[in-house]
């Protein structure tokens, strides 16, 4: 059996599969986030261990774990987990959605070497500016740092006793030379750290260690259990949904939106706010356009009009050309391509004919235009996108997917029902670390394909151009 552990912000999930990738059992445990001040977001790493123990215990009650041969890890990225020379946690982990280090991030980003080496803008959510904030505000803690670990890699420490990270997660720290797939001594030095304070690096499908004997004994495991490098959450999801080769992509319609494209070359474009990270397999990279409010925008609108979000989309019928009404989905700022935390959303072009259905279409179209922004900047770097798989709760809306397919002029595949997320990707990486080939990274069976409506392509292109002009007009007004 092979176990995928996916450490999310709100829960940790364990997924057990067999050699044929058939699901044997799964379990989850909840996680809580602490927000002690405005803009702060923290978790106690001890809760991750507690959650992982709960998942192991629940799985052990469902099946015999004695046949476990591999574990793969997935987790939320960018978190700063600081430990001392005795592996003691020095303070709560500062999470990916914590914005306290905006000043430190801006200072780092003004140094051109960070973008040129890491391939990315230094966002406040990344790891390096958070540690710089600790240095500026909690020097007594900074001076005790022996290792900086990412969240899933603290789980690895509990599992194996080793300090190890892998390329896809490390690429989101602002310390990795993303093209060379190695820590940058220069960037570390600029933040007052050294390579000795970083974990060693492996590829996502390589062994990072073996399960500690005390855990093997607890669950009746007599053979060695390899623990794979794993991947950051989106990279692991890419492995789970079979997006690992150039030309493969997925669009995720969750609370936020992600357009994720695999690449066999390194072609960063930091200025576009595209994320260019290592993938979880050797000699591969991936790029992401990130939309901060995808289904979040629809849920906001549903609450505003006092109706159910799913019912709003089901009532729309066949795809229509965009109307004069534009929705800008910047409820909490925007990441790609604007890197604009201050801009806020807007309805533009409201008229007497704008009823609830028209408003719903405008909201969906606003998110579609945001995906088109990401698609344009990703492909402008030379990244190929031949076909897209849809995942996430919003992918249940055929209308929304039809609008995306029409705007991008590309078919979108919808998988059969099942779990193809980070936990499956982590389990697959574990299988590879245990000896399986990369051929196991297959795409799920396609339930249906949404094709572009070519008769409406020009209308969506025109609406997207108006959307781009509208951003220029509202960015200083909101």
């Amino acid at each position: 059996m092979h176990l995928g552990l996916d450490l999310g912000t709100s829960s940790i999930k364990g997924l057990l599969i067999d050699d044929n990738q058939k699901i044997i059992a799964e379990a989850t445990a909840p996680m809580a986030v602490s927000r002690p001040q405005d803009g702060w977001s923290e978790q106690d790493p001890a809760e991750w261990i507690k959650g992982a123990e709960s998942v192991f215990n629940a799985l052990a009650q469902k099946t015999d774990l004695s046949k476990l041969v591999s574990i793969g890890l997935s987790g939320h990225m960018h978190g700063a987990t600081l430990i001392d020379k005795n592996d003691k946690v020095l303070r709560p982990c500062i999470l990916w959605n914590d914005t306290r280090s905006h000043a430190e991030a801006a200072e780092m980003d003004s140094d051109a070497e960070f973008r040129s080496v890491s391939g990315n803008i230094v966002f406040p959510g990344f790891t390096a500016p958070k540690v710089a904030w600790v240095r500026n505000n909690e020097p007594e803690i900074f001076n005790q740092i022996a290792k900086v670990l990412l969240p899933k890699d603290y789980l690895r420490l509990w599992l194996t006793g080793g300090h190890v990270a892998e390329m896809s997660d490390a690429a989101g720290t602002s310390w990795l030379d993303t093209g060379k797939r190695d820590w940058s001594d220069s960037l570390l030095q600029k933040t007052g750290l050294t390579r000795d304070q970083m974990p060693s690096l492996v590829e996502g499908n390589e062994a990072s260690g073996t399960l500690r004997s005390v855990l093997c004994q607890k669950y009746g495991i007599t053979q060695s259990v390899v623990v794979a490098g794993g991947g950051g959450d989106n990279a692991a999801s890419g492995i789970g949904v079979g997006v690992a080769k150039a030309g493969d992509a997925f669009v995720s319609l969750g609370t936020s939106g992600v357009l994720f494209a695999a690449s066999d070359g390194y072609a960063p474009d930091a200025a576009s706010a595209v994320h260019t990270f290592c993938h979880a397999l050797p000699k591969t990279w991936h790029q992401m356009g990130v939309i901060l409010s995808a289904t979040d925008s629809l849920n906001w609108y549903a609450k505003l009009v006092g109706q159910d979000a799913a019912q709003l989309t089901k009532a729309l019928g066949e795809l229509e050309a965009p109307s004069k009404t534009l929705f800008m989905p910047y409820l909490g700022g925007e990441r790609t391509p604007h890197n604009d935390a201050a801009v806020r959303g807007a309805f533009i072009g409201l008229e007497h004919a704008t009823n609830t259905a028209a408003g719903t279409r405008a909201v969906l179209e606003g998110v579609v235009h945001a995906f088109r922004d990401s698609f344009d900047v990703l492909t402008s770097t030379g990244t190929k996108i031949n076909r897209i798989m849809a995942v996430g709760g919003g992918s249940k809306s055929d209308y929304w997917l039809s609008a995306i397919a029409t705007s991008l002029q590309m078919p979108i595949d919808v998988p059969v029902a099942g779990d193809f997320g980070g936990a499956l990707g982590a389990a697959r990486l574990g299988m590879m670390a245990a000896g399986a080939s990369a051929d196991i990274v297959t795409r799920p069976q396609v339930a249906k394909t949404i094709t572009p409506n070519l008769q409406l392509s020009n209308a969506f292109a025109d609406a997207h151009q108006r959307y781009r002009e509208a951003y220029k007009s509202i960015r200083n007004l909101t």
Side-chain angles (χ1 to χ4, degrees):
M1 296 187 297
H2 310 274
L3 173 62
L5 281 178
D6 182 23
L7 177 62
T9 313
S10 58
S11 68
I12 179 170
K13 179 175 183 177
L15 183 73
L16 272 175
I17 61 174
D18 64 16
D19 286 337
N20 297 315
Q21 302 188 54
K22 179 182 177 181
I23 295 176
I24 298 170
E26 57 186 295
T28 60
M31 296 285 158
V33 175
S34 172
R35 293 182 173 86
Q37 294 189 41
D38 184 41
W40 290 29
S41 181
E42 300 181 342
Q43 279 181 331
D44 180 359
E47 293 299 308
W48 305 338
I49 306 304
K50 181 180 177 182
E53 289 177 326
S54 176
V55 165
F56 265 93
N57 292 335
L59 291 173
Q61 291 177 359
K62 295 179 179 182
T63 188
D64 180 5
L65 294 182
S66 64
K67 295 182 180 180
L68 185 66
V69 296
S70 76
I71 299 174
L73 299 173
S74 168
H76 51 82
M77 298 176 67
H78 315 306
T81 313
L82 312 178
I83 60 175
D84 69 10
K85 62 183 180 180
N86 298 314
D87 289 340
K88 177 185 175 183
V89 175
L90 293 168
R91 68 169 331 281
C93 175
I94 306 176
L95 298 182
W96 62 275
N97 54 352
D98 187 293
T99 59
R100 77 184 73 179
S101 62
H102 57 87
E104 288 81 4
E107 181 179 356
M108 289 181 190
D109 199 49
S110 67
D111 181 340
E113 187 176 1
F114 276 95
R115 290 193 183 190
S116 66
V117 173
S118 74
N120 294 276
I121 290 172
V122 183
F123 292 102
F126 284 11
T127 317
K130 295 170 184 168
V131 178
W133 181 92
V134 173
R135 182 186 61 194
N136 293 338
N137 295 273
E138 300 172 348
E140 71 286 355
I141 290 176
F142 180 84
N143 292 332
Q144 297 179 67
I145 296 174
K147 294 287 183 184
V148 180
L149 297 180
L150 294 158
K152 80 174 192 318
D153 300 327
Y154 184 75
L155 268 185
R156 187 195 317 277
L157 176 61
W158 172 70
L159 290 167
T160 69
H163 308 106
V164 185
E166 51 71 42
M167 305 301 176
S168 68
D169 219 352
T173 62
S174 293
W175 289 314
L176 193 78
D177 186 324
T178 306
K180 294 181 178 179
R181 304 173 85 92
D182 190 17
W183 297 120
S184 166
D185 292 304
S186 176
L187 297 185
L188 287 166
Q189 183 181 19
K190 288 174 183 285
T191 55
L193 297 169
T194 69
R195 184 180 289 259
D196 289 341
Q197 291 168 295
M198 295 294 109
S200 59
L201 289 168
V202 298
E203 295 289 351
N205 63 344
E206 291 180 340
S208 67
T210 56
L211 189 64
R212 291 187 299 129
S213 59
V214 65
L215 292 174
C216 288
Q217 292 169 8
K218 182 176 180 179
Y219 296 105
I221 303 168
T222 56
Q223 72 276 3
S224 176
V225 178
V226 64
V227 178
D233 49 8
N234 281 298
S237 293
I239 299 299
V241 80
V243 174
K245 298 178 181 178
D248 294 340
F250 71 79
V251 59
S252 175
L253 277 163
T255 301
S256 59
V258 173
L259 181 60
F260 178 110
S263 174
D264 54 11
Y266 177 57
D269 183 12
S272 69
V274 163
H275 296 54
T276 304
F277 294 153
C278 302
H279 207 337
L281 295 177
K283 299 180 181 179
T284 60
W285 287 260
H286 69 82
Q287 291 186 316
M288 294 188 298
V290 179
I291 300 164
L292 293 181
S293 297
T295 61
D296 203 28
S297 290
L298 177 61
N299 290 333
W300 166 83
Y301 178 74
K303 185 177 179 180
L304 186 71
V305 298
Q307 297 191 38
D308 177 73
Q311 293 303 317
L312 284 172
T313 59
K314 286 180 180 178
L316 293 181
E318 296 297 319
L319 183 67
E320 297 183 20
S323 68
K324 295 179 180 179
T325 305
L326 276 176
F327 174 72
M328 317 301 290
Y330 308 138
L331 301 180
E334 189 56 290
R335 186 74 64 83
T336 308
H338 305 304
N339 185 30
D340 189 341
V343 69
R344 289 297 180 265
F347 272 113
I348 298 173
L350 295 172
E351 54 188 351
H352 290 296
T354 308
N355 56 17
T356 302
T360 303
R361 287 194 296 271
V363 169
L364 301 185
E365 290 160 6
V367 175
V368 170
H369 298 323
F371 275 120
R372 178 59 190 265
D373 277 350
S374 288
F375 180 86
D376 287 347
V377 293
L378 259 67
T379 54
S380 72
T381 69
T383 293
K384 295 182 294 183
I385 299 179
N386 298 329
R387 201 163 188 105
I388 299 174
M389 182 75 72
V391 297
S395 65
K396 296 176 182 178
S397 168
D398 284 357
Y399 190 98
W400 214 346
L401 294 183
S402 181
I404 296 172
T406 300
S407 179
L408 304 188
Q409 299 186 46
M410 186 160 293
I412 295 178
D413 294 328
V414 182
V416 296
D419 189 329
F420 306 107
L424 176 61
R428 284 177 163 181
L429 291 165
M431 290 180 69
M432 286 182 269
S437 75
D439 293 339
I440 66 170
V441 184
T442 55
R443 290 163 62 89
Q445 181 182 347
V446 174
K448 58 185 175 183
T449 298
I450 307 295
T451 57
N453 185 328
L454 299 181
Q455 294 180 331
L456 298 180
S457 293
N458 288 338
F460 272 87
D462 291 343
H464 177 246
Q465 187 57 42
R466 290 175 51 232
Y467 173 89
R468 291 178 60 84
E469 293 299 321
Y471 168 74
K472 298 175 185 178
S473 299
I474 71 166
R475 62 183 177 181
N476 295 320
L477 298 176
T478 59

